[in-house]
């Protein structure tokens, strides 16, 4: 039987096409809203927070604005009053109904911020609360692990980056859905072998840098929530500051990179270091160079670095779904989780 | 034989006393530097980045300034130009010689920021590069896992918080060294039992919220680097957005909280949820309430929430050192690590 998660992975090309079509015309609206703001504050949790990490690198690296990853507890638990004049607050929530996120966006506005919502929930409290709501067109998502709602959040954040003046070629967006189509068809010849190997270990390090760091965090979350794997998501550099000690025979590294970009060389070097120490490295993306340095590898999208994360997570989603089934877990309903998480 | 790490853990009360004595007189200098700045940007890696997380919560919750945790790759890999006018950049490095951090602080200044260094390296390139250098008085640290250089970084950041006008009682600082003395004497009756249990598992979730989140991240890093444990550091709320699925019979939760403060109740509730599901929760700190909700627990410091993280990590350091020895690892020199990490 096909899992709901696998079906929803396959719906991503169409969801991305619909989302870009709906949101690209709103670039000028975003540009107007962002006038007289200088920084960006992201407010999100879980997969949405991983999407925010993509937005953060895109906007800092290409649009020259400082981004902060907000801590919702500052708003909802400490109830602190921050000076947010000149700040564009961007809240991201699949449902648009996570109270903590809705409350944090109201708080940001009270502190002086202009506000954007990114949500799949048209008419949700989050969409209603924001100055500008970017509603993704993922359709209903029923499996607990987010897939198409995550990649369409990335699409919305790519549009936000364009609205904030990112130095990118907007025309490249048109190729995203067709690249996603190639990726959802299957993760390549090494998938089964990686699944078999991960089925025998307790943990893994998942690493990437810069724009691809978001993919590493999201894949680590997926592997934790759907496969109960001790997956530790770390940036390439943070990994070298201590946690590299944890990589060994029983703890492989999964390394993610775009086909191009300034972080590829470091990721390839990390793969060589891991395999040189006798441990396994499994690559995702990274053109021809990363697979050559890895034990096994899954191809990524043929997209420029700034759009690559939208495709890079797809092989990771397929890996997660296959590993969950291999372990006898229903990927659609892992233990302990509901579709909308409420935290205070 | 006593490990060097254990000796250095014991040196913390004196190191904290000396650091506060040296840095508290510099509050007015910090205040002057911070005039006409509105946000704070932290630049750090590894344990220093965990210290930054403490500074971030302290300054947002008590001093009303937005804080961003910087991504050094934006400076050193992407070489992006950000608008950092009105930003106070705070770079933290034990040695003051990690090139990536030194380069990132120069970059921040070039982008318009005012700059502070927090380092144990008097005369180091980082100290020389900053407008104001807060040099900690930890003395030489030889064990690879940072202990006294970490807690004295927290002390320096508490002083920075005071300089930025945090709403705190500065007089409470005087009790920190004596509370540290009580903690370094030993971690309490449950330590051996927790060590034995952690010696039989592959992974653990380490969680805390708000000010204590920094302690959770730092303990997770220690357990990864010195015990090769799959330790996943997560905030209380992020844990509930997916990774809670990973907690089971073989994956306990280690939960950290101050004796008081608005995040204690949520941490206690999380402990009840974990033990209610049949898994183990080990508490650190949290007054009388957290131990009552946990399987086993280590007492924390009798300090107000804003200073508690300086003491809360100490039982975690003792746990790490004892677990490493129990596993036959030399805690002073874990595999794959040197004392100064260079990343690009």
């Amino acid at each position: 039987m096909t899992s709901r998660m696998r079906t929803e992975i396959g719906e991503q090309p169409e969801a991305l096409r619909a989302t870009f079509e709906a949101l690209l015309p709103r670039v000028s609206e975003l540009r107007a809203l962002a006038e007289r703001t200088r920084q960006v504050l992201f407010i999100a949790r879980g997969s949405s927070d991983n999407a925010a990490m993509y937005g953060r690198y895109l906007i800092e690296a290409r649009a020259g604005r400082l981004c902060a990853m907000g801590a919702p507890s500052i708003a909802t638990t400490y109830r602190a009053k921050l000076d947010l004049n000149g700040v564009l607050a961007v809240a991201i929530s699949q449902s648009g109904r996570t109270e903590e996120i809705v409350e944090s966006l109201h708080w940001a506005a009270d502190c002086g911020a202009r506000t954007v919502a990114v949500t799949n929930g048209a008419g949700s409290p989050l969409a209603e609360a924001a100055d500008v709501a970017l509603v993704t067109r993922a359709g209903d998502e029923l499996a607990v692990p987010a897939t198409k709602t995550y990649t369409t959040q990335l699409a919305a954040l790519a549009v936000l980056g364009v609205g904030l003046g990112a130095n990118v070629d907007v025309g490249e967006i048109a190729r995203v859905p067709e690249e996603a189509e190639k990726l959802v068809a299957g993760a390549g010849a090494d998938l089964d072998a990686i699944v078999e190997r991960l089925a025998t270990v307790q943990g893994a390090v998942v690493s990437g840098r810069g724009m691809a760091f978001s993919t590493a965090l999201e894949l680590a979350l997926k592997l934790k929530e759907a496969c109960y794997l001790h997956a530790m998501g770390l940036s390439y550099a943070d990994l070298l500051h201590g946690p590299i000690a944890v990589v060994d025979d029983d703890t492989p590294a999964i390394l993610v990179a775009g086909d191009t970009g300034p972080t590829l060389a470091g990721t390839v070097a990390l793969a060589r270091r891991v395999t040189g120490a006798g441990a396994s490295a499994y690559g995702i993306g990274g053109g021809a160079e990363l697979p050559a340095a890895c034990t096994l590898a899954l191809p990524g999208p043929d997209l420029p670095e700034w759009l690559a994360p939208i495709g890079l997570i797809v092989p990771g989603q397929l890996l997660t779904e296959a590993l969950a089934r291999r372990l006898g877990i229903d990927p659609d309903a892992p233990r302990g989780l509901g579709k909308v998480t409420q935290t205070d």
Side-chain angles (χ1 to χ4, degrees), chain A residues 41-44 68-85 87-91 99-115 126 129-130:
Chain A
L41 169 64
F42 288 104
I43 299 168
M69 306 293 286
S73 69
I74 292 295
T76 62
T77 306
Y78 288 102
R79 301 187 178 282
K81 181 86 182 164
L82 297 197
D83 171 6
L84 296 183
N85 287 293
V87 172
L88 185 70
V90 180
E99 285 167 22
E100 178 191 39
I101 302 303
V102 177
E103 186 181 339
S104 295
L105 194 69
H106 281 294
W107 163 87
D110 290 344
C111 291
R114 296 185 172 204
T115 58
L126 192 70

Side-chain angles (χ1 to χ4, degrees), chain A residues 30-43 52 55-56 58-60 63-70 82-91 105 108 111-116 131 160-161 163-164:
Chain A
L30 289 165
R31 194 176 292 135
L33 181 73
E35 264 177 33
R36 288 188 297 275
T37 68
R38 292 168 60 220
Q39 293 95 14
V40 177
L41 169 64
F42 288 104
I43 299 168
R56 175 257 175 97
L58 174 62
I59 291 167
E60 288 198 339
R65 287 172 184 246
L66 180 65
C67 298
M69 306 293 286
L82 297 197
D83 171 6
L84 296 183
N85 287 293
V87 172
L88 185 70
V90 180
L105 194 69
C111 291
R114 296 185 172 204
T115 58
V116 172
D131 294 329
L160 176 66
L164 296 185

Side-chain angles (χ1 to χ4, degrees), chain A residues 22-306:
Chain A
L23 300 184
L24 275 171
R26 304 189 59 196
V27 160
S28 57
E29 199 181 334
L30 289 165
R31 194 176 292 135
L33 181 73
E35 264 177 33
R36 288 188 297 275
T37 68
R38 292 168 60 220
Q39 293 95 14
V40 177
L41 169 64
F42 288 104
I43 299 168
R45 290 282 187 198
S47 285
S48 302
D49 202 36
N50 299 335
M53 191 59 84
Y54 162 71
R56 175 257 175 97
Y57 277 92
L58 174 62
I59 291 167
E60 288 198 339
R62 299 295 183 95
R65 287 172 184 246
L66 180 65
C67 298
M69 306 293 286
S73 69
I74 292 295
T76 62
T77 306
Y78 288 102
R79 301 187 178 282
K81 181 86 182 164
L82 297 197
D83 171 6
L84 296 183
N85 287 293
V87 172
L88 185 70
V90 180
I92 311 173
S93 162
Q94 172 266 129
S95 66
R97 294 183 285 119
T98 298
E99 285 167 22
E100 178 191 39
I101 302 303
V102 177
E103 186 181 339
S104 295
L105 194 69
H106 281 294
W107 163 87
D110 290 344
C111 291
R114 296 185 172 204
T115 58
V116 172
V118 174
T119 178
N120 200 44
S124 64
L126 192 70
E128 297 296 320
D131 294 329
V132 171
L134 300 178
V135 177
T136 55
R137 301 303 198 268
D140 288 340
E141 185 176 74
L142 300 178
V144 166
T147 54
K148 58 181 180 166
T149 59
Y150 171 74
T151 46
T152 51
Q153 285 172 348
L154 298 185
L157 291 168
V159 172
L160 176 66
V162 172
L164 296 185
N167 178 23
V168 295
D169 175 359
V170 185
E172 293 170 323
I173 286 176
R175 287 203 304 109
V176 172
E178 68 198 57
E179 283 300 314
E181 256 159 36
K182 286 184 211 162
L183 293 166
V184 302
D190 284 356
L191 178 69
D192 291 347
I194 296 177
V195 167
E196 284 311 310
R197 290 182 180 217
L198 289 180
T200 67
V201 300
Q202 299 275 310
V205 163
V206 191
S207 188
R209 200 174 193 196
M211 311 251 184
F213 180 40
S214 57
T215 312
L217 292 177
E218 172 63 6
L219 177 54
L221 173 58
K222 286 277 155 296
L223 292 170
K224 276 195 286 278
E225 69 177 358
C227 305
Y228 316 149
L229 190 72
H230 300 154
M232 293 161 277
L234 289 157
S235 86
Y236 153 76
D238 280 326
L239 180 61
L240 297 182
H241 282 263
I244 188 74
V246 89
V247 177
D248 61 14
D249 286 357
D250 298 322
T251 312
I254 303 173
L255 306 178
V256 189
D259 280 5
T260 56
T263 67
L264 176 58
T267 310
V268 171
L270 179 59
R272 290 205 187 100
R273 178 166 168 175
V274 167
T275 56
S280 295
Y282 307 133
I284 297 180
E289 295 157 78
L290 186 59
C294 284
T295 318
L296 293 165
L298 307 177
D302 177 16
L303 288 171
E305 189 203 10
W306 75 282

